[in-house]
Amino acid sequence: MEDNLDQHACMKEDSRWEVQLNTTCPNPTQLETATISALQDAFDKSSDGNEFVRDVTRTLTCDPLDEISDKVIIQIQVGSDCFTHVHPDHLNVYDMSGWVTKHPGGEYNIEKWAEGWEGHEGWYLDFPYSGNATRNIPEHPMNRWYNRAAPPDFVYVTRLGDNVAFRDLPNDLKTDAMAQYFGAVPQSVADGGIVVCGSMGEVSNDPALPETFDVRSNEHTTSSSDQQNNQKQVVWTEIALSGADQLRQRIAWALAQIVTTVPGNIDGYDRTEIYTNYYDIFVKHAFGNYRDILAEASYSPLMAEHLSYLRSKSHNYVYQTEDKRISRADENYAREIMQLFSIGLIVLNDDGTPVLDPITGNPLETYTNEDIESFARAWTGFDRTAVRANYEETRTGTADNRLDPMRILPEWRDPFPKSNLNGGFIGDGYMLCKDLPDQSFLKKGARYRLQGGKSSPELMKDNYFFDLDATEDILRMELNPTSPLYQRLYNGGNYELFVELENDLQCNPGTAECDVDTVRVVKVDKVYYEFVERPCVQMSFYDNGKQIQLRDSYRRGQMCANPELTHARETCCREDRQGEVRVARMETNVTYFYEGERMKYDTAKNRCVDYGRDLCFYESITISPNNDKFRKGYHWTNRDCGINVKINSEGYIAIVHDAMLTDADSIPWLVEEENTLNWFRVFWNSGSYPGDS
């Protein structure tokens, strides 16, 4: 990637250098004395011990004569070693398994490199920025890397030459095969323990009973596929006919004929547990609420596989990752949940007769194709969870669990408003997020879920590096033992799986608990709890917006955000100090109190004022004492911004962020005027477009 560096090493806070030990530079760059001195000093003081690359995380005071585009790829001799300025991702190690199946050029054109195509070393890939005419490889613009090289398709592991503990690998790589290949040895159980749950309604074995239950295993097979395929029928028949709760069983059978799945559509025909687990939805809710049945069935991986919304992706995701390809979300389930599972095709009177259109006399339809398109976007982002222990399974992947409820991947999710059947939008009736009480994590009704020794959230997304407590000195939100919240979660050492606060709690003055707007994960003794915010609605249109951006202003991430919500974090600088604008500053335990902390605009501003600075429209960021890029995210600036719309010929609208640009391509495409095609329906006062909305 060294052919396309994004910025001069002297004009940014962090830079990467390839090191060739005991080597004379073949093409050293002609540099001024001040620049040579600055670089040599940076290399000498760097604590980075990697033998292949050296990451410099400090401001370089170079001679302005050297800060030109012709000297971006700097090569400099330092003692007996040659240092070359390279792309910040050069020699990073990634798990690219997710990308193989999505590569526009086909799986083979990725797999062939790993297999040593034409004598190529399988572990090393060159990004084909300039293409290769001899090998018929087209040019690949760098925006492909910036837009696509992200989880779940590209998962960063470490740098070439670094050591990484097996326990710190991404979950996809922590397999038996990897452990055996590298000789990983078992580690002691982490502080805080591991939360291990069985399946819903699971009971212990009773050896006195005559029948046995066989399972599919990737180690041994004791029954034929036909026998195992028949097993689920035997299990169901015995319970349905012999169970003492015959009324419940009969209602469950009736419900199962409505909210159906077809085993032939599911890759697991000879499994037993996944099907009996799905059927138990109806047994459990036979005397309950039909909405609960639909909710649980909708999160079932069997339903998603059967009706094809599994891994349905938003137009925005496909547009950004597949060369601006136009797509629509899968509409199958959006249609079937209405037509087959709930309201049907025709509006009915209370006596079951159809409601007629007063003008045409025809039966009124319950929904239109526009409704299906809108609801389809609500079913994007669903994927299976990782395989776990203690259930019938032969696979080992991170998205092969056909038993437990699915997860939602934010990268695939459509984030825009979705109209409902009543002339409004999904979410109408819920509290607005801006109206949540201050520090809602301390208020009555706040919910927490036990994570054991796992320090990263499961319902929110954190940077992978935040899992590396020991190796990366990660700052956690650790509660004071005298805190009422600590005492409620600690519960005398009897940790509960789920906790809901019965009353408002007070924070301890002088602690971080009183200073933060919200929390993600809190540490209680050696155990972690994840805070689960109550459902609320974030409005797409709001006044007095403030611009946010990523760690470098040239990166694609300049957007408008609601200053009343915890959408970004601080970075401190004064507009009239060029050095501070060029490199704004954050300080651990001073301007922020845990990794990944997010705060409202006013909180960010007050933190910086207390720090002797303010908010500004910065160019880059440094963090003291650990200036790692993974600790940075979206940050508030002092720039005002607005929300605009563009309208297509059908009266659908798309959201456009009116933000200040520092680069021609620094606004994300999903809200950028020329690129956004994320149309959604609005209701015009006149009944049709054009008209007031």
Side-chain angles (χ1 to χ4, degrees), residues 593-653:
F593 299 108
Y594 62 88
E595 304 293 355
E597 182 188 358
R598 297 176 186 175
M599 60 197 73
K600 300 176 183 178
Y601 176 85
D602 285 346
T603 301
K605 182 177 177 65
N606 291 337
R607 295 259 186 99
C608 288
V609 170
D610 292 342
Y611 189 57
R613 298 191 177 193
D614 205 333
L615 298 176
C616 78
F617 193 54
Y618 63 87
E619 295 178 15
S620 64
I621 298 171
T622 185
I623 301 180
S624 175
N626 298 310
N627 186 36
D628 303 298
K629 63 183 180 182
F630 67 80
R631 300 178 194 271
K632 306 165 187 177
Y634 273 101
H635 302 261
W636 293 107
T637 75
N638 63 351
R639 287 292 187 270
D640 295 331
C641 59
I643 308 295
N644 298 332
V645 300
K646 70 176 185 178
I647 308 170
N648 69 10
S649 60
E650 298 176 354
Y652 279 52
I653 72 169

Side-chain angles (χ1 to χ4, degrees), residues 95-100 102 148-155 317 321 412:
D95 174 17
M96 296 172 55
S97 303
W99 176 243
V100 171
K102 300 174 185 176
R148 299 176 179 178
D153 299 336
F154 287 77
V155 180
Y317 178 83
T321 60
W412 298 350

Side-chain angles (χ1 to χ4, degrees), residues 11-195:
M11 302 177 70
K12 57 184 178 179
E13 180 65 22
D14 50 317
S15 58
R16 177 165 293 186
W17 301 77
E18 183 172 3
V19 185
Q20 294 174 286
L21 301 175
N22 301 313
T23 300
T24 300
C25 291
N27 299 298
T29 307
Q30 296 298 315
L31 300 172
E32 301 298 323
T33 302
T35 304
I36 295 174
S37 177
L39 290 171
Q40 289 178 334
D41 184 59
F43 296 143
D44 290 341
K45 292 181 179 179
S46 172
S47 59
D48 190 347
N50 189 292
E51 63 178 305
F52 299 110
V53 292
R54 187 73 49 83
D55 284 342
V56 172
T57 55
R58 58 182 298 181
T59 303
L60 300 173
T61 307
C62 301
D63 192 303
L65 294 175
D66 290 323
E67 295 179 356
I68 57 176
S69 59
D70 290 344
K71 294 184 179 181
V72 170
I73 304 177
I74 295 175
Q75 192 173 89
I76 180 173
Q77 189 77 36
V78 179
S80 61
D81 304 327
C82 180
F83 288 78
T84 304
H85 182 215
V86 293
H87 191 279
D89 295 328
H90 183 65
L91 293 186
N92 279 351
V93 178
Y94 295 91
D95 174 17
M96 296 172 55
S97 303
W99 176 243
V100 171
T101 58
K102 300 174 185 176
H103 182 241
E107 298 179 23
Y108 170 72
N109 283 317
I110 295 294
E111 292 173 341
K112 68 183 181 184
W113 297 100
E115 295 167 358
W117 183 61
E118 294 188 0
H120 185 273
E121 293 181 275
W123 60 271
Y124 186 88
L125 289 180
D126 281 311
F127 184 80
Y129 170 68
S130 300
N132 188 311
T134 303
R135 289 176 164 171
N136 198 30
I137 299 173
E139 293 182 2
H140 285 51
M142 285 306 296
N143 62 12
R144 292 191 186 183
W145 176 258
Y146 293 128
N147 293 334
R148 299 176 179 178
D153 299 336
F154 287 77
V155 180
Y156 176 80
V157 180
T158 187
R159 303 175 303 176
L160 180 68
D162 286 343
N163 293 320
V164 59
F166 182 80
R167 58 170 162 60
D168 292 335
L169 288 174
N171 288 333
D172 285 13
L173 298 180
K174 287 189 281 192
T175 63
D176 291 340
M178 287 284 286
Q180 292 172 11
Y181 184 85
F182 289 102
V185 296
Q187 303 290 318
S188 58
V189 175
D191 284 347
I194 300 172
V195 178

